[in-house]
Every structure is written in structure tokens, then in C-alpha cells.
């Protein structure tokens, strides 16, 4: 899908200071999944992952499309991470790590290397010069990015969902620890702590289906999807310090200074946790199926996939804006918001679009 169409839409949105306005809509390929900010020594750009097409689209700082990166089409790219002006992509179908040099002007960005792993790759995280990679088949790989050799393969008890790292350890959430068919745990652990050599440093018991994680210098913050909780784990002794009760089916957490925001798709609510006071605030959403919160300057927005809307959490009288698609991911830049939409958020084989909103 190499053609890009840009359509300027003149929608009149009833006005208040918090109202959003759709200013443009760009048709994309199959199943857009992720948009992420990229900075190199030259400027700021954005990369869009089209999962269904296994393509990477580069946008400039104003969200204008520039080019597709060649060489990813048959890889089944599932996710990517960034380090030192290089883009590391995880091939689900090919089992390869696809590396791009993204230094300088995007016209010169190029494919640098493909490393075969023999695994169906999901995602990864960096600990210094080691790339930790989650595989679909319950394996965790350590890849040395200086010589591109796999130094260790660790077998996990169940499939994992996410991995983050700091300067000492990798942290892996064991999402499939709870079996819905048997209504019982397949493993009593929810989080593995792994050192750079591949040794399991700690196994931590958590709730049902630990999913996405955040961290600061002192703690790990882990969402338990089926329990509707967020656990705080000390990095000093890896003991659980605190549990916050959220709504049903919490999704992607984000951290903004000393606050954590979590959208709960099953409760039609967003929860704000003030870490310094332990106060939890609930915001009921107008839209249904809230998936992600976006912090854009002084404003907080939430995207809801079931209703296909975006709304502000700062002004209750503001109406949810219909996006005519299902929002999956978004970024903010100055006074603009770029939102990735799918035509059907339950399928990976549908077209999508990129909508630009004016704050």
C-alpha cells in the first residue's frame, strides 16, 4: 500500500476552549498499530507501524508523510524500539530483527541488517548494549547489538506480553499466568526479573494476567488486567509495596510526572493515581471502551475504541468527538494531535487512517 491520500476536512465543531477539531484525514494501509516520535540530530519525525502491511511510514514534524522504509514488507513487523538513531523492528512471521539506520534526513534512512532468531518475535527492550526480545513461543532472547549475536535464550513458563528494562535488569510480565478455561493459575508468578547475563534474578507473584508496566528509579508499576489492579513493586527488594484498585480490564498505563493514568475498557472510566498522596481519582467517560490516555501539554484526552471517540478529561462539559474509526494510538505535537484509526479494531486485516486534530 504505497499510495497516500490526504483529505482536508472542514468540520465545524461546537466551540469551547477545550473543543477538538478534525483538520485532515489521511488513508493508510492495513491495521495501523503504533505511532512514535523519533528524534535524531537533524530534526523530529514520527514513525507509523502498519501491522497488516508490515510497513513503516515516516512522517515529518507536522505529520506530513515522507516515505516508506524499504525492506520490512515480508517480515510481519509486530513492534519496534529505538536506540542511538537506529530502529530495531521485530518480525513475527520472519523471526528476524530488522535494523534501520535512521540518522540524518529521512531520505537517507536505510536498512542496515537483518538478524534471524528462529522465534516469532513480539517486542523488546534495551539494557545498555543488550536487546531483550520476547518470543511468542515462551522464550526470551538476549541479543548483543555490537556483534548481533544471540547470547542467551531463556524459557518462560507461559507467554509474556511486555518487557521493560533499567540499568540493571529486564522486567517481563507473564500475561498468560492465569488460565481462563480452567479458572486457575498456570504459574504462580507474574513477573520475572532477569539480569544482563540471562540469569533469573527474581520471580514475583502478582495477580491475574499482569500486562503493561511503568517504572521510575524506585519502583515498578504493573497492571493486572483481569484483577483490575495496579501493583507497586520495590526495586530495592522486589517486594510488593502497594496495590491500587482500578476498574474492569485496565489497559495501557502512562506516567506524567508523579501521576499514573489508566483507561479501563470494561468500566468506561479512567483512573488517575497520585503517587505522592496515594489518592485515586475516577473519571467516567462519555465514550465507551476507553483504551488509552494521551497527555498533550496541559490537557488530558482519552481514546475510546468501542464508540470511536476522543474526549478531554479536563472539561466535563466538552462533548466526545466522533472520529469515524476506532482509535488505536496517538501522539501530540504543539497544538496538533495525530490519531491512528482502524476501521474495525477487532481485526488485523482492515484499512486504517491517520486523523489530525487541532487542539
Amino acid at each position: 500500500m504505497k499510495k497516500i491520500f490526504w483529505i482536508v476536512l472542514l468540520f465545524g465543531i461546537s466551540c469551547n476552549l477545550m473543543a477538538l477539531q478534525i483538520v485532515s484525514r489521511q488513508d493508510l494501509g492495513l491495521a495501523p498499530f503504533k505511532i512514535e516520535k523519533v528524534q535524531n540530530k537533524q530534526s523530529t519525525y514520527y514513525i507509523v507501524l502498519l501491522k497488516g502491511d508490515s510497513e513503516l511510514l515516516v512522517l515529518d514534524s507536522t505529520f506530513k508523510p515522507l516515505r516508506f522504509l524499504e525492506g520490512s514488507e515480508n517480515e510481519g513487523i509486530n513492534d519496534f524500539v529505538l536506540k542511538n538513531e537506529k530502529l530495531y523492528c521485530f518480525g513475527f512471521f520472519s523471526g528476524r530483527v530488522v535494523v534501520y539506520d535512521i540518522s540524518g534526513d529521512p531520505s537517507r534512512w536505510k536498512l542496515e541488517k537483518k538478524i534471524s532468531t528462529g522465534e516469532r518475535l513480539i517486542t523488546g527492550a534495551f539494557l545498555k548494549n543488550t536487546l531483550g526480545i520476547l518470543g511468542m513461543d515462551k522464550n526470551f532472547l538476549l541479543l548483543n547489538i555490537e556483534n548481533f549475536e544471540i547470547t542467551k535464550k531463556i524459557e518462560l513458563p507461559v507467554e509474556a506480553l511486555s518487557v521493560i528494562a533499567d540499568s540493571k535488569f529486564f522486567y517481563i510480565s507473564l500475561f498468560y499466568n492465569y488460565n481462563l478455561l480452567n479458572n486457575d493459575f498456570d504459574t504462580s508468578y507474574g513477573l520475572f526479573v532477569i539480569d544482563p547475563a540471562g540469569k533469573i534474578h527474581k520471580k514475583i507473584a502478582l495477580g491475574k494476567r499482569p500486562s503493561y508496566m511503568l517504572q521510575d528509579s524506585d519502583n515498578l508499576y504493573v497492571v493486572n488486567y483481569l484483577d483490575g489492579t495496579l501493583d507497586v513493586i520495590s526495586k530495592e527488594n522486589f517486594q510488593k509495596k502497594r496495590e491500587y484498585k482500578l476498574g474492569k480490564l485496565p489497559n495501557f498505563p502512562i506516567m506524567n510526572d508523579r501521576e499514573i493514568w489508566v483507561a479501563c475498557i470494561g468500566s468506561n472510566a479512567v483512573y488517575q493515581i497520585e503517587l505522592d498522596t496515594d489518592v485515586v481519582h475516577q473519571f467516567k467517560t462519555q465514550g465507551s471502551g476507553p483504551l488509552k490516555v494521551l497527555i498533550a501539554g496541559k490537557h488530558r484526552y482519552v481514546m475510546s475504541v468501542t464508540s470511536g471517540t476522543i474526549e478531554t478529561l479536563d472539561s466535563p462539559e466538552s462533548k466526545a468527538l466522533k472520529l469515524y474509526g476506532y482509535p488505536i494510538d496517538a501522539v501530540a505535537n504543539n497544538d496538533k494531535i495525530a490519531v491512528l484509526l482502524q476501521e474495525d479494531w477487532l481485526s488485523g486485516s482492515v484499512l486504517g487512517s491517520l486523523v489530525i486534530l487541532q487542539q
Side-chain angles (χ1 to χ4, degrees), residues 62-83:
T62 66
F63 305 124
K64 178 182 177 182
L66 297 176
R67 61 170 292 200
F68 286 95
L69 298 181
E70 293 82 12
S72 65
E73 296 84 356
N74 299 315
E75 302 292 335
I77 301 300
N78 192 72
D79 197 7
F80 62 79
V81 293
L82 304 155
K83 185 177 176 66

Side-chain angles (χ1 to χ4, degrees), residues 79-98:
D79 197 7
F80 62 79
V81 293
L82 304 155
K83 185 177 176 66
N84 297 336
E85 299 190 347
K86 292 187 187 296
L87 182 70
Y88 296 80
C89 307
F90 305 102
F92 184 83
F93 298 138
S94 68
R96 293 185 288 202
V97 179
V98 182

Side-chain angles (χ1 to χ4, degrees), residues 281-314:
H281 302 280
Q282 182 193 71
F283 299 82
K284 296 299 288 186
T285 59
Q286 299 174 48
S288 57
L291 183 70
K292 288 184 180 179
V293 172
L294 173 69
I295 306 295
K298 296 180 180 180
H299 305 315
R300 283 89 171 155
Y301 301 98
V302 59
M303 298 175 290
S304 298
V305 293
T306 307
S307 58
T309 55
I310 185 170
E311 63 192 88
T312 177
L313 297 172
D314 303 288

